[in-house]
């Protein structure tokens, strides 16, 4: 296999998984078919009892299928086909928009990959802010469609995120006034957001590779669209009471987006909502793509446990932090970052 610049691999060309992408079985434990399916709650986010159903799902497992979201299938299809088009561009073109050191956006490996000795079976592109500066380099003569679709998609995702966030806060016992008052939802209009497009080519030996290593997302919440087909998303679920965990498959549903609780909502809820650990496995036949939309607080806003949720006896579990500070902590500590904010052990 010819070597490519910057250790980039064309994953569509391999008949065997190269050593660089073979993961030790300790990381892949019970991978991938052992995962049960159909165990993630489904919630109509404008339906009856939406707040209490969302609340229950966010306590455990920390993820749910959101239906009734109102995002058009046309828009979801456009995002998916543009993601496929982007990743199928020649490598030299994609490298024009590669993620620069210290920058959050661009083409290349996501930050979590630096914590693992092996490469993941995926390509990623992170979009923060105006899509034009990337699109004009990727498609010098035909970038308008990409920009229009991504902008429309981010707007729609923000609406879904805002709705879900409101339901989450209401379910925690805050009333409408408090929800607007604490700033979280009101501030969402100026929230920080990022869109991560992921591409998982079919893999000749899926049991030896991983598409996206196990992690929690750092923001408030993530809204994920995944292409129809084999699926690959799995969430870690505690088996009722036993303390044992197992991976549960979250296959694509045509009517649903997947919502994941992130670290900062775990912190905001003083530990009530579960920042769910998840990963993406790959499969032999299907080239899967996903679009993960991350919502977090605006950069300047320190997020700490909501006063009303702080137990009088226990006090707050975490100290306040901004999203950029927290991303900095994650860069050093990865999945131990939240522990570093704990006020008592
Ligand atoms: C806003 C962000 C969330 C993210 C880090 C980032 O700055 C941009 C990429 C995002 C992503 C996507 C893949 C998984 C993840 C853990 C990673 O390494 O990069 C998330 C990050 C996150 O949630 O912290
Ligand atoms: O592709 C998926 O199903 C998961 C993606 C993901 O976890 C992420 O982008 O943070
Ligand atoms: Fe994630």
């Amino acid at each position: 296999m010819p070597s490519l610049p910057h250790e980039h691999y064309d994953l569509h060309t391999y008949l065997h998984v190269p050593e660089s992408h073979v993961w030790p079985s300790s990381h892949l434990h019970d991978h991938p078919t052992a995962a049960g399916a159909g165990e993630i709650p489904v919630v109509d986010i404008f339906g009856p009892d939406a707040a209490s159903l969302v609340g229950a799902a966010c306590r455990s497992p920390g993820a749910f299928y959101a239906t009734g979201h109102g995002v058009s299938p046309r828009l979801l299809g456009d995002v998916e086909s543009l993601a496929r088009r982007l990743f199928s561009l020649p490598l030299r073109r994609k490298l024009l928009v590669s993620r620069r050191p210290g920058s959050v956006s661009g083409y290349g490996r996501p930050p979590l990959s630096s914590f693992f000795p092996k490469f993941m079976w995926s390509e990623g592109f992170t979009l923060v802010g105006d899509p034009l500066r990337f699109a004009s380099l990727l498609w010098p003569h035909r970038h308008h469609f990409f920009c229009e679709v991504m902008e429309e998609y981010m707007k729609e995702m923000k609406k879904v995120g805002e709705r879900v966030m409101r339901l989450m806060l209401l379910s925690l016992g805050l009333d409408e006034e408090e929800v607007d008052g604490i700033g979280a939802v009101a501030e969402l209009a100026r929230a920080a957001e990022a869109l991560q497009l992921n591409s998982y080519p079919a893999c000749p030996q899926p049991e030896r590779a991983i598409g996206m290593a196990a992690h929690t997302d750092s923001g408030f919440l993530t809204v994920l669209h995944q292409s129809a087909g084999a699926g690959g998303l799995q969430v870690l679920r505690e088996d009722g009471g036993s303390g044992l965990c197992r991976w549960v498959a979250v296959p694509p549903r045509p009517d649903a987006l997947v919502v994941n609780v992130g670290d900062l909502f775990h912190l905001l809820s003083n530990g009530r909502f579960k920042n769910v650990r998840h990963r993406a496995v790959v499969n032999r036949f299907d080239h899967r793509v996903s679009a993960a939309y991350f919502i977090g607080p605006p950069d300047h806003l320190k997020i700490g446990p909501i006063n009303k949720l702080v137990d009088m006896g226990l006090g707050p579990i975490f100290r306040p932090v901004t999203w950029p500070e927290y991303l900095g902590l994650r860069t050093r500590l990865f999945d131990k970052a939240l522990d570093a904010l704990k006020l008592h052990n």
Side-chain angles (χ1 to χ4, degrees):
M1 194 59 54
S3 72
L4 293 167
H6 304 272
E7 291 181 306
H8 284 278
Y9 295 77
D10 183 352
L11 298 176
H12 291 275
T13 60
Y14 287 91
L15 297 177
H16 299 279
V17 174
E19 266 313 303
S20 52
H21 290 68
V22 175
W23 282 57
S25 54
S26 55
H27 273 106
L28 302 178
H29 144 82
D30 77 11
H31 168 292
T33 44
E39 299 178 44
I40 295 301
V42 183
V43 183
D44 175 349
I45 59 172
F46 287 94
D49 275 344
S52 63
L53 294 171
V54 162
C58 291
R59 283 170 201 270
S60 174
F64 63 93
Y65 287 110
T67 60
H69 51 70
V71 182
S72 80
R74 189 268 312 156
L75 182 58
L76 295 167
D78 283 349
V79 166
E80 194 181 312
S81 61
L82 281 169
R84 288 187 194 279
R85 255 199 251 170
L86 189 161
F87 291 112
S88 68
L89 286 170
L91 181 65
R92 64 176 185 288
R93 188 68 72 80
K94 291 184 281 193
L95 289 177
L96 293 177
V97 296
S98 57
R99 188 195 297 271
R100 308 267 174 249
S103 163
V104 283
S105 46
Y107 170 77
R109 295 199 181 87
L112 89 164
S113 69
S114 64
F115 292 92
F116 300 97
K118 297 295 181 141
F119 294 130
M120 302 188 291
W121 196 266
S122 58
E123 284 180 79
F125 174 78
T126 314
L127 186 59
V128 179
D130 188 353
L132 182 61
R133 65 205 158 103
F134 295 116
S136 56
L137 292 166
L138 291 167
W139 294 282
H141 306 295
R142 290 185 302 131
H143 50 261
H144 299 292
F145 186 56
F146 182 85
C147 293
E148 276 164 30
V149 169
M150 293 303 152
E151 276 165 5
E152 188 187 353
Y153 190 68
M154 305 266 264
K155 258 192 216 146
E156 290 294 295
M157 288 298 112
K158 182 176 276 190
K159 280 194 227 157
V160 174
E162 185 164 11
R163 171 70 185 167
V164 169
M165 194 123 164
R166 173 176 291 274
L167 294 171
M168 287 163 85
L169 293 168
L170 292 174
S171 80
L172 286 168
L174 277 75
D175 59 37
E176 302 271 348
E177 258 170 41
E178 286 167 321
V179 166
D180 295 326
I182 63 160
V185 171
E187 287 273 342
L188 258 183
R190 289 183 286 128
E193 54 182 0
L195 181 65
Q196 168 81 14
L197 303 177
N198 297 306
S199 161
Y200 306 95
C203 176
Q205 297 165 294
E207 62 294 339
R208 306 189 78 192
I210 189 88
M212 178 80 76
H215 65 281
T216 58
D217 295 336
S218 67
F220 281 148
L221 59 92
T222 305
V223 184
L224 182 95
H225 166 67
Q226 44 180 341
S227 57
L233 176 65
Q234 299 182 345
V235 302
L236 198 61
R237 185 158 202 179
E238 253 171 55
D239 256 338
S242 70
L244 291 174
C245 290
R246 68 201 161 86
W247 288 105
V248 168
V250 188
R253 280 178 61 117
D255 58 342
L257 297 161
V258 178
V259 174
N260 286 337
V261 177
D263 292 351
L264 289 185
F265 215 106
H266 177 73
L267 185 151
L268 188 76
S269 68
N270 208 27
R272 285 172 177 75
F273 285 167
K274 190 165 176 50
N275 48 335
V276 66
R277 246 176 121 62
H278 56 283
R279 67 182 185 182
V281 300
V282 288
N283 75 90
R284 203 177 292 277
F285 302 110
D286 192 28
H287 175 192
R288 173 173 180 264
V289 295
S290 71
Y293 175 82
F294 303 90
I295 296 186
D299 284 0
H300 67 275
L301 197 69
K302 280 229 189 236
I303 298 301
I306 298 171
N307 281 341
K308 194 170 179 179
L309 304 180
V310 171
D311 201 297
M312 294 303 254
L314 267 176
I317 304 179
F318 300 103
R319 72 171 170 83
V321 69
T322 65
W323 197 11
E325 277 164 10
Y326 186 64
L327 284 171
L329 269 183
R330 293 245 314 191
T331 311
R332 285 192 284 121
L333 305 172
F334 189 42
D335 52 5
K336 305 283 178 294
L338 260 185
D339 290 345
L341 296 174
K342 278 210 167 129
L343 288 171
H344 22 233
N345 287 307

